[in-house]
Amino acid sequence: MTLRTLIVDDEPLARERVRMMLGMHDDVAVIGEVGDGAQAVDAIRDQRPDLVFLDVQMPGVDGFGVLRALESDELPHVVFVTAYDQYALKAFEVHALDYVLKPFNAERFGQALQRARAAIARRHEGEAIVDRDHLRSLVASLTAEQREKQRIVVKSSGRVFFVKVDDIDWIEAEGNYVRLHMGAQSHLLRETMKGMESVLDTAQFIRIHRSTIVNADRIRELQPLFHGEYAVILRDGTRLVASRGPDNRLKKLLAEATIHG
């Protein structure tokens, strides 16, 4: 049986590596490659592949968004391709789905492919519902986790506030607490900066200093200072300082931005 396989990844080099690995197996036919989630949904519906190597972290529609967009009878067998996303890895393991962790080697890739062969063979024998139930359970659990992260409960002076994560402009450390800044308002929350990082979307919230996290959507301007530091100017005029060695998300912003001296 030939495995009709689709490759989905927004990184051309990653697609090339998957294609090269698949080329080492005679029973695999690559029927297409796409670079984003929306194209992936269309390709899966049109071409009905047996197997999809699906990148998890893509701009726009991510790998889980692809699965949510498909009906149960449209779902192929999926091998997830992911970087260091510990929550996702845990979810994959719980739901007995396979994944390869970037950067992957030929041995690990071969193991994932062998599991896919076995699963697809079972599907042809009438056991497809098992794989689809696993996929649906995975997506449901991740969606529930995302829903929990959309708001933060803050207790203050006997009152309870529900803070939408998207409303947060920036966060600063204050001893054993963190202060959530939202325009002219702020709330003090008993939490650590590390704890906040664990519940925030790292694609949206950037740790620019050991005591500061900023919502990337609020950044208006970046100004170079001294010794590799940057001033981070928010839309409301708030001025923050990014320490040396900012994380990769801020480095990307720096590469894309026009820096004003």
Side-chain angles (χ1 to χ4, degrees):
M1 181 179 66
T2 299
L3 301 182
R4 301 173 63 259
T5 304
L6 177 70
I7 302 170
V8 181
D9 200 303
D10 64 315
E11 300 176 359
L13 289 178
R15 295 198 301 271
E16 181 180 350
R17 181 159 180 76
V18 172
R19 185 173 65 251
M20 180 187 71
M21 293 283 186
L22 292 174
M24 300 167 62
H25 301 269
D26 294 336
D27 62 339
V28 176
V30 176
I31 62 172
E33 299 178 21
V34 295
D36 63 59
Q39 292 180 40
V41 173
D42 291 339
I44 291 170
R45 285 174 173 164
D46 293 342
Q47 302 183 47
R48 295 300 179 106
D50 301 307
L51 174 63
V52 176
F53 280 84
L54 180 62
D55 185 20
V56 172
Q57 294 157 313
M58 295 182 291
V61 181
D62 64 11
F64 302 121
V66 171
L67 300 184
R68 284 192 290 268
L70 295 169
E71 300 296 332
S72 293
D73 62 354
E74 296 174 327
L75 288 170
H77 185 82
V78 174
V79 173
F80 293 96
V81 182
T82 182
Y84 296 96
D85 186 334
Q86 294 303 316
Y87 179 80
L89 297 186
K90 181 180 178 180
F92 298 157
E93 291 162 358
V94 167
H95 295 286
L97 296 169
D98 210 352
Y99 62 90
V100 290
L101 185 65
K102 296 178 181 178
F104 48 83
N105 57 35
E107 180 180 3
R108 180 66 187 92
F109 190 90
Q111 291 172 354
L113 187 57
Q114 182 56 38
R115 288 187 63 182
R117 288 189 185 100
I120 292 168
R122 291 195 303 271
R123 172 171 291 186
H124 283 283
E125 293 171 2
E127 299 180 22
I129 191 64
V130 175
D131 290 335
R132 287 167 180 162
D133 280 349
H134 283 162
L135 282 170
R136 289 302 185 203
S137 297
L138 172 63
V139 173
S141 68
L142 290 171
T143 301
E145 178 74 6
Q146 290 173 345
R147 194 176 298 121
E148 290 177 4
K149 294 178 182 178
Q150 287 177 352
R151 65 180 186 175
I152 296 173
V153 179
V154 179
K155 298 178 181 179
S156 177
S157 302
R159 301 172 64 187
V160 177
F161 300 89
F162 295 93
V163 177
K164 289 185 178 180
V165 170
D166 287 342
D167 290 342
I168 299 173
D169 298 325
W170 64 288
I171 302 167
E172 67 175 331
E174 286 192 16
N176 295 325
Y177 293 79
V178 295
R179 184 169 295 277
L180 312 179
H181 292 270
M182 298 152 291
Q185 296 183 340
S186 71
H187 292 290
L188 202 59
L189 176 68
R190 188 173 181 84
E191 182 57 276
T192 64
M193 295 296 278
K194 185 175 181 180
M196 290 303 302
E197 282 187 299
S198 71
V199 299
L200 294 172
D201 181 356
T202 56
Q204 181 180 3
F205 287 88
I206 306 170
R207 182 80 173 266
I208 64 170
H209 188 276
R210 63 184 179 85
S211 61
T212 312
I213 296 173
V214 64
N215 186 338
D217 292 337
R218 303 297 195 275
I219 297 176
R220 186 188 73 198
E221 184 179 357
L222 301 170
Q223 298 177 350
L225 298 175
F226 302 99
H227 309 298
E229 294 184 339
Y230 281 85
V232 178
I233 313 301
L234 305 189
R235 294 177 184 174
D236 64 359
T238 300
R239 183 184 179 91
L240 306 172
V241 175
S243 59
R244 295 172 61 184
D247 71 14
N248 291 334
R249 176 71 176 122
L250 186 57
K251 287 179 181 178
K252 184 176 180 181
L253 288 178
L254 290 170
E256 294 172 349
T258 299
I259 306 300
H260 301 281

